[in-house]
Amino acid sequence: MFFTVSIFAGAGGVGTGDGPAATAQFARPFAITASPGGAVYVTEAVFNGIRKIESGIVSTLASRTNGYADGPLATALFNQPAGIVSDQAGNLYLADSQNHRIRKIDTAGNVTTVAGPRGSEILQGWADGALLGSLFNYPDGITIDVGNDNIYLSELHRIRRIPLSTDDIVHTVAAVGIAGFADGPPTRAQFDEPVDLVVTQTGDLFVADINNYRIRRVSPSGTVTTAAGDGVLAVPSDKSQFVDDIPALNARFESVNGIAIDATGLVWIADATHVRMYSPIANTVSTACSDQGTHQQPIEFQDALAITILAGTTILDRKVLVVDNGANQIIQLTPHLD
């Protein structure tokens, strides 16, 4: 499978201007999600922005002033919003990283705190328990399961779970919270900056473990294994490292910045200058290629930082959106067979 490359939004260059997608600018776009209704949302963590792309128009949802305030979007404040995900109803959940809280933007445009203390004081740490009594440590990646029952998030060296419909208790899913590399049970496993994650239909998590150069898998019981990557930094100039069908545990990554999963179970990875695909079924890693020349030219990005899937009714209807942080653009990959 090969891809046609086009610009979904962004004129390039750092800027905050709204308007038509072709002329609007982004300021270091960070994370991305698509709602069931077709709207696309992008965070700009460093520039404290939350953007919406719908019907070819880019708009800014909230103030860029750093702070913490719930309420209508017109007055709500965030502090470096990082990961973002939409539920099936179109509500948005964000990892508000510098506020160390999880926030929700409902479909009416109201912002609330889902987990983490509500008071004005910014508290940081690790504490499970009641939603508004729990503590977080730079929450980053965020995902939601197919039933909209649980949010999962990655933070500094840990994976946490926030229930939305059951016990109202925040749980640590896996890892001891000390940087390192170790597979095994949840109380012994280690990550080194898990920056993003996705949840499968069976409840397994795939985690982008950036400083270990690996994709890790977390079972519903919290057992951690390595899905892909040998832990060695890929060399971008070595094209042999970006061919198709590399055995998963022999694959090398540049920087596993972002991760997504499509309806077929294929895992998509924003890997700095490339987009990679990990197949759990074939247990292989491949690289997204264009249709130029010999049909084996890897598509290159300035800094692919995040990725999401616009679902279609067939594989060829599926579109992949990539946040190119270096180019300040959202790039669309449209698959085709030839």
Side-chain angles (χ1 to χ4, degrees), residues 27 45 87 92 99 131 213 224 226 230 264 282 311 319:
D87 66 15
L92 301 174
N99 278 325
L131 293 179
Y213 307 104
V224 178
T226 297
D230 68 358
T264 70
K319 293 178 175 61

Side-chain angles (χ1 to χ4, degrees), residues 116-274:
R118 275 187 179 167
S120 59
E121 185 178 3
I122 297 176
L123 299 175
Q124 163 188 1
W126 172 53
D128 288 339
L131 293 179
L132 300 181
S134 55
L135 295 178
F136 299 91
N137 199 2
Y138 298 106
D140 195 350
I142 191 167
T143 190
I144 191 168
D145 63 20
V146 292
N148 294 318
D149 295 322
N150 297 279
I151 290 172
Y152 295 88
L153 64 97
S154 59
E155 60 175 10
L156 199 61
H157 316 313
R158 286 189 180 92
I159 308 299
R160 313 282 292 278
R161 178 173 67 87
I162 301 171
L164 297 177
S165 61
T166 51
D167 59 4
D168 295 333
I169 299 294
V170 176
H171 302 268
T172 296
V173 175
V176 297
I178 300 172
F181 171 71
D183 287 337
T187 55
R188 295 183 182 180
Q190 288 179 279
F191 296 89
D192 194 347
E193 289 197 36
V195 292
D196 201 7
L197 72 174
V198 290
V199 59
T200 71
Q201 293 185 7
T202 59
D204 290 288
L205 299 172
F206 286 107
V207 181
D209 192 2
I210 190 169
N211 289 334
N212 280 319
Y213 307 104
R214 292 176 168 100
I215 303 300
R216 314 287 293 281
R217 186 170 194 154
V218 184
S219 73
S221 67
T223 299
V224 178
T225 55
T226 297
D230 68 358
V232 177
L233 174 66
V235 178
S237 59
D238 183 356
K239 301 303 181 183
S240 69
Q241 297 181 17
F242 299 96
V243 298
D244 287 347
D245 301 323
I246 299 172
L249 295 179
N250 294 337
R252 293 183 175 178
F253 297 98
E254 295 175 78
S255 182
V256 286
N257 295 322
I259 193 168
I261 191 167
D262 65 24
T264 70
L266 187 65
V267 177
W268 298 75
I269 303 153
D271 185 30
T273 61
H274 296 88

Side-chain angles (χ1 to χ4, degrees), residues 62-79:
S63 169
R64 291 184 181 273
T65 301
N66 290 335
Y68 170 67
D70 285 339
L73 273 170
T75 57
L77 297 177
F78 299 85
N79 197 348

